[in-house]
Amino acid sequence: DVKVTQSSRYLVKRTGEKVFLECVQDMDHENMFWYRQDPGLGLRLIYFSYDVKMKEKGDIPEGYSVSREKKERFSLILESASTNQTSMYLCASWNSETQYFGPGTRLLVL
Amino acid sequence: DQQVKQNSPSLSVQEGRISILNCDYTNSMFDYFLWYKKYPAEGPTFLISISSIKDKNEDGRFTVFLNKSAKHLSLHIVPSQPGDSAVYFCAASARTDYKLSFGAGTTVTVRA
């Protein structure tokens, strides 16, 4: 059974703080993704990675960066959190048939 | 510009009846389509998929239909059950590219 875990379910941060969201998958998948989900907008792709140390921008990368030092771990970084980054963040990994999602991190930036 | 559109934000259906969810796409390069189900405070879970070489795929109570000429797909749930109350997302990809484009979602409420 594929498992994708995210380090936090809920986070509250202040404007300007640096925020790290961690994601780990246990199925040796090469492809990993970060999305944010907002009401009425569905899931929007922030960044993805095809392999260790590789990253590609998604549709809305501004204000975010990522790190993939190990195959199983993909981190999303908010360099200086802003209130418009308040959202649900979802990590996923891909096995050639579908993407498997983690439980999500609900981030509130005050 | 959203390439995958779910024009109905919500759907209410009586238990035991059919739920029909619709999805339209604009990118002719898309050749693989998926439906996900999402409960509040959980990540989306994969429901069913269809490749562009087919026009129908069935899995238990769930059937997905694809009309390539109209760039339209639909998900049928028969019979609808209370546990089906959730947000349903349509997604599409070009298989040469692992990225998925998602619709905005349809919230389904199954009434007892």
Side-chain angles (χ1 to χ4, degrees):
Chain A
D1 215 18
V2 176
K3 203 164 178 84
V4 179
T5 56
Q6 295 183 228
S7 51
S8 305
R9 295 300 300 271
Y10 301 95
L11 272 180
V12 181
K13 297 291 181 182
R14 297 241 174 244
T15 302
E17 277 192 79
K18 191 168 186 175
V19 182
F20 293 87
L21 303 182
E22 304 283 334
C23 175
V24 177
Q25 50 97 1
D26 67 356
M27 286 303 290
D28 204 36
H29 292 165
E30 291 181 347
N31 304 292
M32 296 186 74
F33 306 81
W34 275 105
Y35 295 89
R36 61 179 282 177
Q37 183 202 351
D38 300 288
L41 296 176
L43 278 71
R44 293 181 293 165
L45 182 63
I46 305 171
Y47 266 96
F48 59 102
S49 169
Y50 288 138
D51 204 346
V52 176
K53 296 198 187 293
M54 290 184 62
K55 59 186 179 185
E56 297 279 344
K57 291 180 180 178
D59 300 319
I60 51 164
E62 296 78 20
Y64 303 94
S65 62
V66 290
S67 171
R68 187 134 182 235
E69 296 297 318
K70 292 185 178 182
K71 193 173 188 179
E72 68 271 17
R73 188 179 298 269
F74 191 33
S75 302
L76 180 69
I77 303 155
L78 286 66
E79 295 290 343
S80 177
S82 63
T83 55
N84 63 13
Q85 291 179 311
T86 291
S87 187
M88 166 74 93
Y89 289 88
L90 292 159
C91 174
S93 68
W94 171 269
N95 78 338
S96 82
E97 293 298 327
T98 185
Q99 290 188 12
Y100 293 90
F101 284 86
T105 296
R106 186 162 291 283
L107 173 66
L108 172 63
V109 182
L110 299 174
Chain B
D1 186 32
Q2 266 198 311
Q3 300 182 78
V4 177
K5 294 180 183 176
Q6 294 176 256
N7 292 319
S8 298
S10 63
L11 172 69
S12 180
V13 64
Q14 191 142 23
E15 183 178 0
R17 305 295 291 267
I18 184 171
S19 295
I20 299 176
L21 290 78
N22 294 302
C23 178
D24 297 294
Y25 61 96
T26 57
N27 189 339
S28 57
M29 297 299 291
F30 288 152
D31 57 4
Y32 187 58
F33 305 89
L34 308 91
W35 284 94
Y36 285 85
K37 177 179 178 179
K38 185 181 184 301
Y39 293 119
E42 293 184 14
T45 54
F46 170 70
L47 204 52
I48 192 168
S49 64
I50 187 166
S51 164
S52 60
I53 61 173
K54 292 185 171 183
D55 53 20
K56 177 182 173 181
N57 189 26
E58 209 168 335
D59 184 1
R61 296 186 299 114
F62 303 93
T63 303
V64 56
F65 296 91
L66 175 62
N67 182 335
K68 288 185 290 293
S69 60
K71 294 192 176 67
H72 177 83
L73 63 154
S74 61
L75 175 69
H76 292 206
I77 307 173
V78 185
S80 300
Q81 299 174 353
D84 297 331
S85 295
V87 180
Y88 290 78
F89 290 101
C90 171
S93 79
R95 289 307 290 269
T96 54
D97 177 345
Y98 297 114
K99 293 187 295 182
L100 289 178
S101 294
F102 283 85
T106 297
T107 301
V108 173
T109 303
V110 179
R111 309 185 311 270

